[in-house]
Amino acid sequence: MKHENRRLQALLAALALVVVAATAYVLISRNEQAPAARQAEIAANSRTVMPFDLERTTHRFAKAATGGVQTVTSDDPGDAGQVALIREHLTAEAAAFSKGDYGDPASIHGGEMPGLRELEAGHDRIDIRYAESPAGARITYTTSDPALLQALHAWFDAQVTDHGRHAEHG
């Protein structure tokens, strides 16, 4: 009887290992495919919010100890039309974010975007400043609240992941 129990336990352990391996394979396969589909969805959503051409611009998200800097630049610094559209959009976004209105990022990335709800709720504890750059514009976020800093950094990471080749860290 002992021998049969051990064989049954060994068989169950082997079966469990196969199930875990198969589950891991499925999850990994889905995750490899999901980013491309997600990035295509984000690009399509972006066209309804951002007036500039996503294919001709680059987003940069640089984290800092006190917040971070979001920069959007025209890939062609001489493209005055793209630069003007970037500046127009980031001016409006900085004003909205200062009031706790993160509706545009939510409509692009979804309401469950990491950090989004915390940034909305804590907007009055984040200093948000707009500035022009030679080929576009930037928004600087500064906070002394550790929870908001963490939310901002999570939000930056989600932006880079979701925008794929159109965005980068730093």
Side-chain angles (χ1 to χ4, degrees), residues 9-31:
Q9 287 175 342
L11 181 61
L12 289 174
L15 183 59
L17 184 59
V18 168
V19 169
V20 167
T23 301
Y25 174 78
V26 168
L27 291 175
I28 290 169
S29 296
R30 283 185 189 163
N31 286 340

Side-chain angles (χ1 to χ4, degrees), residues 57-104:
T57 57
T58 300
H59 290 90
R60 285 183 190 81
F61 296 88
K63 297 178 197 175
T66 59
V69 179
Q70 171 186 3
T71 306
V72 180
T73 55
S74 173
D75 294 339
D76 175 3
D79 187 340
Q82 286 300 308
V83 173
L85 291 171
I86 290 166
R87 290 175 177 168
E88 172 188 312
H89 179 68
L90 289 189
T91 296
E93 292 295 76
F97 297 165
S98 293
K99 296 174 187 165
D101 178 358
Y102 284 77
D104 282 350

Side-chain angles (χ1 to χ4, degrees), residues 61 63 113-114 150-163 169:
F61 296 88
K63 297 178 197 175
M113 181 182 196
Q150 184 178 4
L152 180 67
H153 288 177
W155 188 63
F156 272 20
D157 288 341
Q159 295 268 8
V160 172
T161 299
D162 278 355
H163 284 292
H169 287 288

Side-chain angles (χ1 to χ4, degrees), residues 91-153:
T91 296
E93 292 295 76
F97 297 165
S98 293
K99 296 174 187 165
D101 178 358
Y102 284 77
D104 282 350
S107 68
I108 294 171
H109 302 272
E112 298 305 314
M113 181 182 196
L116 189 66
R117 295 295 168 230
E118 295 88 336
L119 296 174
E120 288 174 333
H123 72 277
D124 57 340
R125 295 186 314 278
I126 306 169
D127 181 49
I128 298 175
R129 299 192 185 241
Y130 166 86
E132 291 183 358
S133 64
R138 68 180 166 269
I139 301 174
T140 302
Y141 305 81
T142 307
T143 184
S144 59
D145 184 317
L148 287 173
L149 180 64
Q150 184 178 4
L152 180 67
H153 288 177

